[in-house]
Amino acid sequence: LRKSGNPILAVRALADYITASDDTPPWELNSLGGRRTLRAYGGDRFIDANRTLVGGELRTRVWQRRMFGVNAEIEVAPFVETGKVFPNLGDNPINHPHWAYGMGFRGIARPQIVGFVDVGAGSEGIAVFTEVNYPF
């Protein structure tokens, strides 16, 4: 069983800028919200030409055991994220951002599967996201 590397601080920063006109379809624009960005808001909640995002989570293993030939683990991951979308390159990319904070729970069967539940809170209330996937 893995003994080292606990806890793990995961940090990410993102800036996406595109050239868009008024008739650019929404699916070509940048967005925030959902299970990967600003986890307190629904999927693609904020959409515009440009976006910035900064976030971090502290992944901490709270339980582990060898079961059925795999290393099973449970992690908790408190997180905080902030970001915004905006139309013009000249706009301030960090002025008046949206905030999300919450707690993530991870069930891991290394190295095959990760299942998670993320509970996030923001200015519009609480959102819950869950998925079973392969680790990144």
Side-chain angles (χ1 to χ4, degrees):
L1 292 176
R2 190 175 70 133
K3 299 290 184 194
S4 63
N6 193 33
I8 297 170
L9 177 63
V11 179
R12 129 174 110 160
L14 169 71
D16 281 332
Y17 293 87
I18 65 170
T19 303
S21 65
D22 290 340
D23 59 348
T24 301
W27 60 85
E28 294 291 336
L29 297 172
N30 284 305
S31 68
L32 291 174
R35 65 183 175 85
R36 298 197 185 273
T37 62
L38 289 182
R39 290 174 270 181
Y41 302 92
D44 300 325
R45 170 62 180 89
F46 306 103
I47 299 174
D48 214 324
N50 309 300
R51 71 178 171 174
T52 55
L53 175 73
V54 175
E57 67 181 42
L58 186 63
R59 300 171 183 165
T60 305
R61 185 176 51 255
V62 295
W63 181 85
Q64 68 179 9
R65 178 161 294 149
R66 182 129 178 108
M67 297 173 54
F68 308 110
V70 298
N71 297 327
E73 300 176 15
I74 296 177
E75 293 179 348
V76 296
F79 64 86
V80 62
E81 301 169 321
T82 184
K84 69 180 278 187
V85 297
F86 48 98
N88 303 310
L89 285 175
D91 293 343
N92 185 336
I94 59 173
N95 193 24
H96 304 294
H98 302 283
W99 287 88
Y101 59 91
M103 183 68 73
F105 304 92
R106 312 281 184 264
I108 305 166
R110 292 194 189 273
Q112 292 89 353
I113 298 173
V114 174
F116 71 86
V117 175
D118 286 339
V119 180
S123 63
E124 297 178 356
I126 295 174
V128 178
F129 297 96
T130 186
E131 183 177 7
V132 175
N133 206 340
Y134 293 99
F136 56 94

